[in-house]
Amino acid sequence: MRGADLGRYGAAALAGGALASSFPPRTLWWLAVPAFLVLWLTLRNGRPGRLGFVFGLAFFLPHLWWIQHFLGTEFGPWPWLVLSALMALFVSAAFALYPLVARLPGAPVWAALLFVLQETARGLIPFNGFPWGRVAFGQVDGPFGRLASLGGAPLVTFAVVVTGFGLGAWLRRPREWRRSWALLPVLAALLVTVPVAAENGTRTVAVVQGNAPDIGLGLLDAGAELRANHLRKTAELAARPGPKPDLVVWPESATRTGDRDPVLDRMVDDLGVPVLVSALKNGENSVIAWRPGSGRGESYAKQELVPFAEHIPLRPLARLVTPFADQQDLKAGSEPGLLDVAGTRVGVGICYEVAYDYVLRESAAEGAQLLVVPTNNAWYGRGEMTYQQLGMARLRAVEHGRAVVVAAISGVSAVVRPDGSVVRSTGMFTDDLLVDTVPLRSSLTIATRFGGALHVVFTGAAFVACLAGLWQRRRRRGVTEDHPMRSPLPETGVPS
């Protein structure tokens, strides 16, 4: 391998590492732009597919390190390594298409659309996808995050990537001021305002964080302890002097329950206010509206089940990578998460679902005034996973113009304003009570109304660009055949 090739691969790896560093719990969102600037520069005369794989692997290995904490003792590094490599293959496939768009006018725009396309693809396949690590999820602390109210995560990712690629193209020819268009996404983001004022009054919400032992897979046998922790902490809330909250939220996996549960009935009666109880019920991962006096009411069942945990594809092979391979699959829900409780329409997305665009978008579109995300991050220890997921919840707040309440079994629980700012949060692996007043809102953002359509437009534009590139390539080859003395332009790299 030539020294120039080694330099390109090294630069691509550095760019991938910089992108990983732009994500929570760090607030270095701006690192994403130079990461894509450097990646663009490496593509010149390089092998785009291989460079994309190196970039993707250098990003996903640190970004998904929490999987190693979860499974490492019993399963070694292979689940973490294999998943990181699989995700990097999506990036590689997108950049393998890069030569088709590299010679089109506005090449950075089409290349950025290819990057959005691979994020879309890995959120769908295999096994319903794994949409973790989308560029948008690291941008809520910066101006790009505001664009979520216009086009959700796809628009935020596109804006970041096209800015980096556009600046990379401008850097090659700094005297060509027409290339300064690369700054337009930043300027557009700075002009976006995200309203936070209450439109339908306010509600005081309490989160019960009962805590869990930091034992990783040992949580499989800790159900009784988790239930006892949350019952005890809820009793503390009931005994507190002063006004009661309007609504109480339990985190995911806090308990199991059946058709009857007198203990939970008494708990809610003593508290005197409704509780959203997150529980495993009749083979579903559910959030149940539990009311004083009447007990268990309507529920929402998780629609997006975690592959190799809540549903097991390829069961014989799954035993190599998951401790859940011999457990029965949970049943997936099919209805949007929307519960009428405490005089409020509450939208619900459970844990992993916050990474999927449609789950909370459907809830907000159908009238949710407040969004609730119960989660169980205790499996993953004290790593970055819980902060990464909180970043997703914060982006959803901006996307739909709603306050979001995150209830985590061992932290980080948080109250998020509609502009994505965190106004109150807990620590990790501690029991805590979180009480705050949140605004209720009902107006729909552009992203809530048209986010799904915009996603289709982005996907279609990426394919149209590839088709245009194919047509252009065939046309060049036809010219070469008609005029043999003319040599074709190289098929890879960025035009100088």
Side-chain angles (χ1 to χ4, degrees):
M1 185 180 294
R2 297 176 300 174
D5 291 331
L6 284 173
R8 273 190 287 270
Y9 290 128
L14 182 65
L19 180 61
S21 297
S22 72
F23 278 74
R26 294 162 295 277
T27 56
L28 303 175
W29 57 269
W30 52 270
L31 273 177
V33 171
F36 285 103
L37 185 157
V38 171
L39 179 62
W40 180 265
L41 295 177
T42 69
L43 295 174
R44 183 182 178 87
N45 300 322
R47 296 178 178 269
R50 295 182 183 181
L51 288 164
F53 182 79
V54 170
F55 172 84
L57 193 63
F59 166 66
F60 282 109
L61 283 174
H63 190 69
L64 300 180
W65 172 248
W66 46 266
I67 292 176
Q68 179 62 13
H69 176 94
F70 174 38
L71 299 172
T73 303
E74 295 189 26
F75 291 88
W78 298 112
W80 164 60
L81 293 174
V82 170
L83 180 59
S84 298
L86 178 62
M87 295 299 99
L89 283 175
F90 282 90
V91 184
S92 175
F95 281 101
L97 297 173
Y98 166 77
L100 295 178
V101 303
R103 297 185 176 281
L104 296 177
V109 174
W110 312 120
L113 285 171
L114 289 178
F115 195 90
V116 176
L117 178 64
Q118 66 82 24
E119 286 194 344
T120 300
R122 62 182 175 82
L124 296 171
I125 53 176
F127 317 123
N128 260 26
F130 184 71
W132 217 268
R134 297 165 73 182
V135 170
F137 294 153
Q139 292 297 309
V140 74
D141 285 307
F144 288 112
R146 302 177 194 175
L147 294 172
S149 65
L150 303 180
L155 180 60
V156 176
T157 291
F158 172 76
V160 173
V161 178
V162 79
T163 298
F165 284 172
L167 289 174
W170 189 15
L171 187 63
R172 289 220 185 92
R173 296 181 177 179
R175 299 189 181 209
E176 295 186 7
W177 288 97
R178 61 187 176 86
R179 296 177 182 260
S180 63
W181 64 261
L183 297 175
L184 290 178
V186 186
L187 298 176
L190 290 171
L191 295 176
V192 176
T193 58
V194 182
V196 298
E199 297 175 321
N200 309 104
T202 61
R203 292 291 182 273
T204 300
V205 181
V207 173
V208 177
Q209 181 175 302
N211 199 20
D214 186 5
I215 53 177
L217 293 178
L219 288 176
L220 284 168
D221 302 315
E225 181 178 356
L226 300 182
R227 178 180 170 100
N229 287 351
H230 287 81
L231 287 169
R232 171 182 52 79
K233 206 65 185 174
T234 305
E236 290 182 20
L237 177 64
R240 288 173 61 165
K244 293 182 179 179
D246 300 304
L247 176 65
V248 177
V249 183
W250 271 26
E252 182 192 25
S253 304
T255 188
R256 290 177 180 267
T257 188
D259 293 331
R260 293 177 57 82
D261 197 322
V263 174
L264 290 182
D265 287 341
R266 287 194 298 273
M267 177 200 77
V268 178
D269 288 346
D270 291 343
L271 192 59
V273 299
V275 180
L276 292 181
V277 176
S278 299
L280 292 174
K281 175 184 71 72
N282 300 330
E284 295 177 337
N285 188 346
S286 301
V287 173
I288 308 162
W290 223 287
R291 297 178 177 86
S294 59
R296 193 182 76 186
E298 69 272 27
S299 63
Y300 164 70
K302 189 176 184 180
Q303 300 173 78
E304 287 294 340
L305 301 176
V306 181
F308 298 100
E310 294 175 318
H311 77 96
I312 311 297
L314 307 176
R315 198 172 288 268
L317 295 177
R319 292 184 177 87
L320 301 175
V321 296
T322 177
F324 305 99
D326 294 320
Q327 296 195 30
Q328 186 175 358
D329 286 353
L330 295 181
K331 293 182 289 185
S334 58
E335 299 296 325
L338 194 63
L339 301 174
D340 289 307
V341 59
T344 308
R345 304 210 82 189
V346 179
V348 182
I350 302 175
C351 191
Y352 184 59
E353 291 188 311
V354 75
Y356 288 85
D357 294 339
Y358 80 91
V359 175
L360 291 177
R361 182 173 66 228
E362 288 182 348
S363 299
E366 294 195 13
Q369 301 164 307
L370 166 70
L371 302 178
V372 170
V373 180
T375 182
N376 177 7
N377 295 333
W379 298 101
Y380 308 104
R382 299 178 183 272
E384 297 182 359
M385 184 272 191
T386 187
Y387 297 102
Q388 293 170 4
Q389 193 176 58
L390 177 57
M392 300 176 197
R394 294 175 63 194
L395 190 81
R396 300 307 181 195
V398 179
E399 182 178 4
H400 304 299
R402 300 291 187 271
V404 177
V405 175
V406 178
I409 204 161
S410 60
V412 172
S413 300
V415 175
V416 181
R417 293 292 189 227
D419 62 358
S421 60
V422 177
V423 294
R424 194 176 298 272
S425 62
T426 67
M428 294 181 67
F429 288 98
T430 180
D431 62 335
D432 208 342
L433 294 171
L434 197 63
V435 183
D436 201 17
T437 299
V438 298
L440 303 182
R441 295 181 54 80
S442 56
S443 61
L444 302 183
T445 65
I446 295 175
T448 305
R449 292 177 183 272
F450 305 112
L454 182 61
H455 213 156
V456 172
V457 169
F458 277 163
T459 300
F463 280 112
V464 167
C466 290
L467 290 174
L470 278 172
W471 176 83
Q472 186 185 71
R473 176 182 288 185
R474 288 191 174 188
R475 187 167 175 270
R476 286 201 309 268
R477 287 176 176 171
V479 169
T480 303
E481 290 173 0
D482 292 340
H483 303 277
M485 295 303 293
R486 297 184 183 179
S487 60
L489 294 169
E491 298 292 347
T492 60
V494 182
S496 59

